[in-house]
Amino acid sequence: MATIELIDLKKNYGPVPAVKGVNLSVSDGEMIVLVGPSGCGKSTLLRMVAGLETITSGHLHIAGRDVSRVEPAERDIAMVFQNYALYPHMTVRRNLEYGLKNRGTPKAEIEKRVSEAASILEIEPFLERRPRQLSGGQRQRVAMGRAIVRNPAAFLFDEPLSNLDAKLRVAMRVEIRRLQRRLRTTSIYVTHDQLEAMTLADRLVVMNGGEIEQIGSPIEVYERPETLFVAGFIGSPPMNLLPLEGTATAVEGIPDLPTGTDIIGLRPDAIALNRPDAPALSLRGVVELIEPVGGESHVHLRVEGIAEPVIASVPGRAGVHEAEAVTCHAPLDKLHPFNSRTGRRMD
């Protein structure tokens, strides 16, 4: 196991900057998840750590060693890809053995590591099969097994579950978290899936435009987004962003806010259709759409002066109807103050 230090890492493609001076410290045994929209630089950053992309400037340390210019095979990392990257003509056993044989690992040690990995991942029945004879989930287990047998200093995961269906993604997500906690191998995981990111991460790294917007535990990032981008990106549905100008007739009970605040952020699950006992913000609007999603409903409200619908997540059935005029409420301690010019939180 090892620490990973990214020190002012930059990557340019010609004159175009893809990663703009990222600083990040990953602790020994920690699971860091990089999340952000397509093109934000998260996969490029991961490939720089792996050695699959050259570093334009900055330094990369793994286990205290500067590996910025070291070949991928010499970095003591193992990578799990979204397309599995298995050798189709080899059995599962030979796929697991291949990297170890290339490194000259003794036969007895290879057998021991393959046996242990197969047991951990419960793939012993498939060892003599070829990848085409396996399901997507089984192939991903083999891909992880190939990483485990290496006993690397760190695991790198590049959207490993993106090719699986929704049900299998959930199962494999649990499997990866269980496996990482058992092995305590330092890990960096890239995904665009927020739920995946929130459930897997010890710490979440939210990226945008080649830069880090915020680092923190999943609950910290969710409950206290530091920028408008993070507020609008993390959460499903995302945070409602209410401009203070032009909403006076539809919004009541606005409290004193930090100087410079011109946007209020409000999580959908903080909005209720019944007035709470505590002081609350009130919004008047018309129900535009109701989305039943199992144990809760997402109520979309058209509020005068606000371009996007305000979404309230309410328990069970909404108890309101489309085209109905309603007033909803949010406790004042659930408001998030932002400044639109800086894009930053104001408290």
Side-chain angles (χ1 to χ4, degrees), residues 26 35-37 45 48 51 72 89 93 103 129 137 144 148 177 183 195 200 203 208 245 249 257 270 280 296 336 338:
V26 185
V35 66
L45 189 62
M48 291 164 72
H89 62 288
R93 184 187 301 279
R103 288 169 174 78
R129 297 185 189 177
M144 287 191 290
I148 291 170
R177 192 57 174 133
L183 300 177
L195 185 57
L200 284 173
R203 282 190 300 152
N208 180 36
E245 291 186 12
T249 60
L257 296 166
E296 64 182 18
H336 301 262
F338 294 99

Side-chain angles (χ1 to χ4, degrees), residues 157-232:
F157 296 89
D158 188 12
E159 305 210 38
L161 307 184
S162 60
N163 288 338
L164 305 180
D165 63 48
K167 183 177 180 180
L168 194 50
R169 283 176 76 107
V170 173
M172 290 304 298
R173 190 171 71 225
V174 172
E175 187 71 23
I176 287 174
R177 192 57 174 133
R178 181 189 67 80
L179 183 66
Q180 199 275 336
R181 283 178 172 167
R182 175 174 176 175
L183 300 177
R184 297 308 303 169
T185 304
T186 308
S187 302
I188 302 178
Y189 189 108
V190 163
T191 182
H192 63 274
D193 187 303
Q194 290 185 42
L195 185 57
E196 209 168 285
M198 296 284 286
T199 54
L200 284 173
D202 291 321
R203 282 190 300 152
L204 204 57
V205 176
V206 185
M207 294 192 64
N208 180 36
E211 300 176 297
I212 292 177
E213 288 270 339
Q214 187 171 350
I215 303 174
S217 71
I219 196 65
E220 287 170 351
V221 173
Y222 181 82
E223 292 187 342
R224 190 180 170 82
E226 293 297 330
T227 69
L228 280 169
F229 173 80
V230 175

Side-chain angles (χ1 to χ4, degrees), residues 112-127:
K112 177 175 177 289
R113 291 194 195 182
V114 169
S115 178
E116 287 176 351
S119 176
I120 289 170
L121 293 165
E122 300 178 354
I123 56 174
E124 298 105 316
F126 317 128
L127 287 175

Side-chain angles (χ1 to χ4, degrees), residues 141-160:
R141 284 173 185 261
V142 176
M144 287 191 290
R146 197 166 60 177
I148 291 170
V149 296
R150 293 264 312 278
N151 193 23
F155 289 142
L156 306 179
F157 296 89
D158 188 12
E159 305 210 38

